[in-house]
């Protein structure tokens, strides 16, 4: 298995202290809008910032557990798996994420945001 550092180019996204458990934070990484999510279970994940339905910013939505609810049409998406909860055919792009020495790092190369129809 390859070391993640050899496979991906990670960019510093935020201080870990900026993202409390149960919070989301939209950041710009080299021109790519990414949503950082810190689940109530303590996982940190980076996902596409826009809902795959109609490109509404997910940062204005709600996070419960690991489920993000879009503020526009109430689509529910799991931030850890990227899978749609409701509707189940929806999907979020996941960005490789790691936390090192109190910093959150995200790799954006070769990740394309997902889009789907209702």
């Amino acid at each position: 298995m390859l070391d993640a550092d050899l496979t991906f180019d990670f960019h510093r996204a935020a201080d870990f202290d900026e993202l409390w458990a149960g919070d989301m934070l939209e950041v710009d990484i080299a021109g790519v809008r990414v949503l950082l999510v810190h689940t109530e279970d303590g996982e940190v994940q980076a996902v596409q910032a826009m809902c795959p339905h109609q490109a509404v910013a997910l940062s204005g939505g709600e996070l419960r557990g690991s489920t993000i609810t879009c503020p526009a049409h109430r689509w529910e998406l799991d931030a850890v798996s990227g899978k749609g909860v409701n509707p189940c055919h929806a999907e979020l792009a996941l960005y490789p994420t790691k936390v090192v020495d109190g910093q959150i790092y995200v790799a954006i190369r070769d990740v394309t945001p997902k889009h789907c129809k209702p």
Side-chain angles (χ1 to χ4, degrees):
M1 186 162 132
L2 290 175
D3 184 331
D5 289 332
L6 299 176
T7 309
F8 301 108
D9 294 325
F10 283 91
H11 302 268
R12 186 191 161 286
D15 291 334
F16 182 74
D17 291 343
E18 292 179 60
L19 190 64
W20 292 18
D23 281 348
M24 302 184 292
L25 175 67
E26 186 174 317
V27 295
D28 182 283
I29 301 174
V32 176
R33 292 171 63 187
V34 173
L35 185 65
L36 300 176
V37 179
H38 189 173
T39 70
E40 293 171 3
D41 292 336
E43 290 193 57
V44 175
Q45 179 64 54
V47 301
Q48 70 186 62
M50 308 305 279
C51 180
H53 177 214
Q54 291 188 342
V56 171
L58 291 171
S59 61
E62 298 173 23
L63 177 64
R64 288 194 180 151
S66 65
T67 302
I68 301 169
T69 301
C70 177
H73 298 102
R74 310 301 292 165
W75 279 31
E76 297 175 319
L77 305 138
D78 186 83
V80 175
S81 70
K83 301 295 181 194
V85 175
N86 185 21
C88 60
H89 72 277
E91 189 175 3
L92 289 174
L94 301 176
Y95 295 90
T97 308
K98 64 182 181 175
V99 178
V100 178
D101 295 330
Q103 302 294 308
I104 301 170
Y105 293 90
V106 176
I108 57 171
R109 184 174 40 144
D110 298 332
V111 178
T112 303
K114 310 280 185 174
H115 304 281
C116 63
K117 295 182 180 182

